[in-house]
Structure formats: structure tokens, C-alpha cells
Amino acid sequence: MAVSESPVALVTGCSSGIGRALVGAFVDAGWGVVATARRPESIEDLAGRGVTCLALDVTEAASIRSAVAAAVDSMGHIDVLVNNAGYGLIGPVAELEAEDLRRQLETNVVGAVEMIRAVVPHMAARGRGCLVNIGSVSSLLATPYGGAYSASKAALHLLSDALRPELDPFGISVMVVRAGAVATSFPDSAARGLDRYRDPSSLYSDHVDAMVERAGMSRNMAMAADDFARRVVRAATKPNPPALLKIGGGAWLVPMISRLPKKLLAVILGRRFGLR
């Protein structure tokens, strides 16, 4: 078994956007990095920077076990796990297909917990480590057509709150990144498949343009992915990482809006998305 003399970070979802930027930020900080993606060919170029690249599908238990075992075998240890893999499901809650909702939760929530379950024993054996869960301001404010994504991120935030005291006896810290808008391809992927709601049988056939607009909301006030990644890495590599890191476009504004009375908020959001 090879052993890295540098601290090691394992990052999920590295094919693009935040994940890829995090890999670069950890490398620049002098860390050993294990980059993972469902399609390993999408991260092959990272190997040129001394990064260990592995295939990993966070919805497959066997893939998780294999990737974590390979990371430990290759690097000797894992100091930081960044649960970044995820996507946004857009659509009206009352018309979401059950399978689509399950896939959203399996990827954004269950996948992150399965990664934690695989990595924690290695960290606990060494008496140290840090789990970084990439959350979202959407965990605080569910807009029309974003309910499934918001629910997944709210679950991740609350699970992290439970993990923090549970893992403290083993020297493992838990940091949640409550991310605001970051400049990535997230809006494009979130907007895929929305044309199905144009079918006249949908109650929302006249509102698809508003759904597309919701998918693209993260373009507003977006922080550059590289800047976002540098700040995450800076916080995660501190001797005592913060429990909550609030960064990205709208990271402070959205929580303020979320504190409005629920009925008033529903009126405001309904008008914003053409539902009133």
C-alpha cells in the first residue's frame, strides 16, 4: 500500500463545476487528491496534475466500497471527504414521478450518507478527519418547482447536524457549505427534461418557461467556481473547521427572505413565478 506524505482529500462529482474546481484548489494547497466521477473518462485530464482518478457512482453501494478501498490503498489515508456529487430536479411537486424523486434523494442524500459510512471507519481509526457536505441556500427556501432539490439539501443539512456530535468522540469534524449561486453548468442540467410538462395533460403546461427560469436562478449573482472552491478548501483544512460555511451568490439574502411569514412568502413566490 502506497502512503501519501501529504494530507489527502477525496472529492465526489468532479467531472465539472464545483467538483473540478475543488480538485484544483486542493492541489494548489499541496494536498493529495482523489477525484471521482460516474464517467471516469470525464476526469482523465486531472491525472496530469498528480490526481488519483477513480470511477464512482454514489447511488451504487458496490461502487462506493470499491472507490473508497482504492483510495485508501492508493493514498494510505483520507483526511477530508467532500460530498459534492448531486444535481437539481426541477418540476412541480404534485406531478413529480416517484422514480425521479427517489433518484434525487438517492443521489443527493443517501449517496452522501453512504460515502460517509464508508469513509468514517478509516478516519476514526486515525482519530481525525473532516467531512464536508456541499449543501445549499435552497435548504432554507423552497421555491416553486424546486421542492425536490430543496428537500434533498435540507435533509443533508439536518443529517450533518446529527453527525457532528456523533462523530466528535472520534476526532471527526463535519462542515456544511450552505452554497449560494456558483457559476457552473448546474442550470443547464437542471432544465433538461422539462418539456414533458408541456403536455396538455399537465396542470402546469403553461408554466414551463417559469420552470426553466427556476432552473437558471443560480446564474444570478453567481460566484466564480474557482473562488468558491478556494474558500471551501481554506475552511476545510483549518485545524478546527467551521460547522457552517455560507458562501456564494445570495448566501446571506436567501436566509433573510426565508424568515418571512409562510403565507406572505407563498404569495410573493407565486407572483414571482406567474402562479397568481
Side-chain angles (χ1 to χ4, degrees):
M1 178 179 69
V3 177
S4 172
E5 295 182 0
S6 303
V8 175
L10 189 161
V11 185
T12 67
C14 298
S15 60
S16 63
I18 289 173
R20 180 170 282 262
L22 285 166
V23 170
F26 273 113
V27 170
D28 290 344
W31 279 52
V33 183
V34 179
T36 68
R38 282 190 306 114
R39 295 179 296 106
E41 66 274 12
S42 67
I43 56 174
E44 286 177 347
D45 60 301
L46 295 174
R49 300 194 65 183
V51 174
T52 298
C53 300
L54 299 174
L56 170 62
D57 184 341
V58 298
T59 66
E60 297 289 341
S63 178
I64 290 172
R65 289 193 299 268
S66 176
V68 171
V72 173
D73 185 58
S74 173
M75 309 299 283
H77 52 90
I78 298 171
D79 297 277
V80 169
L81 165 66
V82 183
N83 277 315
N84 168 71
Y87 72 101
L89 174 62
I90 299 298
V93 173
E95 293 190 358
L96 290 177
E97 295 287 344
E99 187 54 38
D100 290 338
L101 180 57
R102 289 190 187 99
R103 188 165 67 93
Q104 174 79 117
L105 298 175
E106 284 285 341
T107 304
N108 292 9
V109 184
V110 179
V113 174
E114 284 291 278
M115 285 299 302
I116 290 167
R117 198 158 72 95
V119 168
V120 158
H122 299 283
M123 291 182 172
R126 302 177 70 229
R128 63 182 183 274
C130 179
L131 307 176
V132 179
N133 293 327
I134 304 298
S136 171
V137 290
S138 294
S139 64
L140 299 176
L141 179 65
T143 65
Y145 315 123
Y149 178 69
S150 290
S152 73
K153 289 303 182 181
L156 187 61
H157 278 252
L158 291 173
L159 286 165
S160 300
D161 289 346
L163 278 165
R164 202 167 288 114
E166 290 173 354
L167 296 179
D168 183 64
F170 308 103
I172 302 171
S173 57
V174 179
M175 183 177 94
V176 178
V177 181
R178 194 166 76 197
V182 181
T184 69
S185 60
F186 179 94
D188 299 322
S189 60
R192 292 191 192 116
L194 292 179
D195 278 345
R196 62 183 169 179
Y197 293 110
R198 295 190 191 278
D199 190 294
S201 64
S202 170
L203 294 171
Y204 300 90
S205 58
D206 294 332
H207 297 269
V208 177
D209 290 344
M211 296 181 204
V212 173
E213 183 183 358
R214 169 60 187 88
M217 280 182 66
S218 64
R219 291 191 177 97
N220 301 331
M221 302 182 294
M223 172 184 282
D226 288 341
D227 186 26
F228 177 91
R230 280 191 295 269
R231 294 180 62 179
V232 170
V233 169
R234 191 181 308 132
T237 56
K238 289 180 177 180
N240 184 24
L244 180 65
L245 183 65
K246 297 173 277 191
I247 55 173
W252 294 94
L253 177 61
V254 172
M256 292 173 59
I257 296 173
S258 71
R259 290 194 287 269
L260 291 172
K262 295 298 183 184
K263 285 193 174 183
L264 175 60
L265 192 56
V267 170
I268 292 171
L269 292 174
R271 287 176 176 166
R272 171 68 175 78
F273 289 92
L275 290 165
R276 294 180 70 89

